[in-house]
């Protein structure tokens, strides 16, 4: 049977146009995203009329891989309190966008101020120049960076405000996929003195060779049509594999890693009814829950893929849900330490 992730040439051409990318002769991409990039804002500009709610700065992660972290902190953190650290992975199908993309920059600003928390947004390597598992490796680098900061206290914001016993991994879409795979990899690392206490997966990007009912129902989705989804996996996965690879379809690898899945921390998994990926997200949530993971499922009867980027009401609802999840775990840990 012909490989189902190989799409017709004309359909593939349409997918490239949809994503505003061009394939170069060397296999790299020329990207023309409609989303502008913005710089970090490490301090308040007294001459600016913009009222900042969070400050941000860029810190090197792995210079050899050209990765870095954009770190966010609230402008007005609560007095005499340490804040959780959220290591964040942006969306973009593993191919597109950056921590500097204005949609992710503004989102991290809002989350840092509202939760409140320190947010370490990771500039990971993109495919196809760096196919998976490159992004997972960069995620592990970020976790190790947090450990090093906890031990050596290099950055003053982290030294003053971070509670390294309350570290969360968070991501949206492909970032949600990264959270799961980085969470599994982190179980093989001595993380002391930091502790990952929660995983937040917003509309995690998974899929298999077999089409789900929701993929077929939303085959011409305005955000993630099926032929575009196919192209993104084709460019992101290791060459020569299909969408049943463990990176895209975690259910195929369940038996192999079930003992590790059992050790995952609490998970918030969120999705929307109008997302072509919703069926796969629900199957994934049931799978890890079946291995004893404490899952908070939030599958809304409205919305669509990446709706929070386009609708402020959905964005605020997402921030509120994350705040509640983070607070519940932090409060629980405080209760345990007081016993």
């Amino acid at each position: 049977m012909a490989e189902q992730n190989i799409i017709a040439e004309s359909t593939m051409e349409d997918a490239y146009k949809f994503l505003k990318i061009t394939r170069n002769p060397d296999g790299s991409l020329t990207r023309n995203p409609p989303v502008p990039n913005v710089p970090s804002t490490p301090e308040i500009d007294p001459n600016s009329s913009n009222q900042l709610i969070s400050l941000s700065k860029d810190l090197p992660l792995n210079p050899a891989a050209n990765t870095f972290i954009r770190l966010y902190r609230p402008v007005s953190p609560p007095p005499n309190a340490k804040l959780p650290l959220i290591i964040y992975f942006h969306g973009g199908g593993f191919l597109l966008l950056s921590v500097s993309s204005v949609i992710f920059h503004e989102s991290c600003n809002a989350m840092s101020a509202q939760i409140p928390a320190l947010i370490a947004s990771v500039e990971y390597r993109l495919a196809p120049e760096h196919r998976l598992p490159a992004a997972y490796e960069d995620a592990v680098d970020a976790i190790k960076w947090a450990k090093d900061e906890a031990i050596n206290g290099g950055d003053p914001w982290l030294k003053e405000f971070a509670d390294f016993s309350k570290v969360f991994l968070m991501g949206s879409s492909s970032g949600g996929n990264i959270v799961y795979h980085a969470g599994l990899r982190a179980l093989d690392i001595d993380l002391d003195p930091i502790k990952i206490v929660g995983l937040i997966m917003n509309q995690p990007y998974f899929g298999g060779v077999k089409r789900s009912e929701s993929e077929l129902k939303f085959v011409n989705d305005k955000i993630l049509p099926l032929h575009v989804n196919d192209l993104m996996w084709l460019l992101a996965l290791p060459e020569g594999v299909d969408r049943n690879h463990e990176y895209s379809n975690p259910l195929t690898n369940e038996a192999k890693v079930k003992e590790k899945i059992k050790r995952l921390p609490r998970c918030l998994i969120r999705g929307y009814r109008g997302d072509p990926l919703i069926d796969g997200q629900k199957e994934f949530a049931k799978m890890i829950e079946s291995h004893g993971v404490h899952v908070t499922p939030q599958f809304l009867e409205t919305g669509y893929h990446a709706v929070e980027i386009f609708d402020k009401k959905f964005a605020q609802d997402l921030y509120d849900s994350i705040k509640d999840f983070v607070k519940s775990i932090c409060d629980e840990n405080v209760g345990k330490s007081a016993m």
Side-chain angles (χ1 to χ4, degrees), residues 251-269:
L251 274 66
T252 62
N253 198 41
E254 177 184 358
K256 181 180 176 182
V257 296
K258 64 181 181 180
E259 294 303 319
K260 292 179 70 173
I261 293 174
K262 293 176 182 178
R263 297 164 53 204
L264 289 174
R266 288 177 57 180
C267 295
L268 170 63
I269 303 176

Side-chain angles (χ1 to χ4, degrees), residues 22-309:
T22 305
R23 191 78 181 266
N24 300 317
D26 64 356
S28 65
L29 295 181
T30 297
R31 299 168 175 85
N32 301 288
V35 179
N37 288 342
V38 293
S40 60
T41 49
E43 56 188 12
I44 296 174
D45 182 355
N47 299 316
S48 174
S49 59
N50 295 329
Q51 186 173 1
L52 291 177
I53 56 175
S54 297
L55 301 177
S56 58
K57 60 182 174 182
D58 294 340
L59 304 171
L61 180 57
N62 182 348
N66 201 29
T67 56
F68 65 90
I69 284 178
R70 180 162 291 186
L71 182 65
Y72 298 79
R73 52 149 288 196
V75 166
S76 302
N80 304 315
K82 293 286 189 176
L83 304 178
L85 172 63
I86 299 176
I87 302 176
Y88 174 80
F89 307 97
H90 67 79
F94 302 106
L95 312 180
L96 304 170
L97 305 176
S98 162
V99 301
S100 304
S101 300
V102 65
I103 52 176
F104 302 128
H105 180 74
E106 291 181 351
S107 178
C108 288
N109 270 329
M111 289 190 293
S112 180
Q114 291 186 33
I115 292 173
L118 292 164
I119 310 262
S121 185
V122 182
E123 181 77 349
Y124 57 85
R125 289 170 292 171
L126 300 178
E129 294 88 347
H130 305 281
R131 292 175 177 267
L132 295 175
Y136 306 151
E137 293 165 354
D138 297 339
V140 170
D141 281 348
I143 294 168
K144 290 179 178 179
W145 163 84
K147 174 182 175 177
D148 183 67
E149 287 288 339
I151 295 171
N152 298 313
D155 180 79
W157 289 3
L158 291 165
K159 188 174 183 179
E160 182 176 0
F161 299 114
D163 184 344
F164 289 103
S165 70
K166 299 180 180 67
V167 177
F168 295 79
L169 306 184
M170 178 193 169
S172 294
S173 193
S174 55
N177 175 300
I178 293 171
V179 165
Y180 172 66
H181 288 286
L184 289 178
R185 282 163 167 75
L187 297 172
D188 295 326
I189 304 170
D190 177 9
L191 295 180
D192 191 58
I194 75 169
K195 185 176 181 182
I196 298 174
V197 294
L199 307 182
I200 302 167
M201 290 169 271
N202 178 43
Q203 309 161 76
Y205 185 41
F206 297 119
V209 168
K210 183 181 179 181
R211 307 299 191 186
S212 69
E213 289 186 14
S214 57
E215 284 177 321
L216 295 174
K217 180 179 180 181
F218 299 111
V219 63
N220 295 314
D221 185 65
K222 292 182 180 180
I223 304 298
L224 191 62
L226 193 59
H227 67 296
V228 171
N229 184 30
D230 285 355
L231 177 61
M232 290 196 294
W233 281 125
L234 188 65
L235 295 177
L237 288 170
E239 291 190 86
V241 307
D242 64 21
R243 291 189 308 275
N244 277 342
H245 191 276
E246 63 189 81
Y247 297 161
S248 49
N249 187 356
L251 274 66
T252 62
N253 198 41
E254 177 184 358
K256 181 180 176 182
V257 296
K258 64 181 181 180
E259 294 303 319
K260 292 179 70 173
I261 293 174
K262 293 176 182 178
R263 297 164 53 204
L264 289 174
R266 288 177 57 180
C267 295
L268 170 63
I269 303 176
R270 190 175 173 91
Y272 300 101
R273 184 177 182 179
D275 186 349
L277 307 179
I278 186 67
D279 286 352
Q281 293 159 2
K282 289 180 177 179
E283 286 186 12
F284 168 75
K286 289 179 181 177
M287 184 271 285
I288 63 170
E289 192 170 32
S290 73
H291 293 291
V293 179
H294 187 298
V295 175
T296 301
Q298 293 184 352
F299 296 111
L300 282 66
E301 290 300 310
T302 56
Y304 50 87
H305 194 74
V307 63
E308 70 276 2
I309 293 174

Side-chain angles (χ1 to χ4, degrees), residues 300-332:
L300 282 66
E301 290 300 310
T302 56
Y304 50 87
H305 194 74
V307 63
E308 70 276 2
I309 293 174
F310 307 97
D311 189 310
K312 290 184 179 180
K313 181 179 179 297
F314 278 93
Q316 188 59 55
D317 185 55
L318 173 64
Y319 303 154
D320 291 343
S321 295
I322 295 167
K323 180 179 180 177
D324 290 344
F325 179 74
V326 170
K327 185 177 184 300
S328 69
I329 293 179
C330 291
D331 289 349
E332 181 182 279

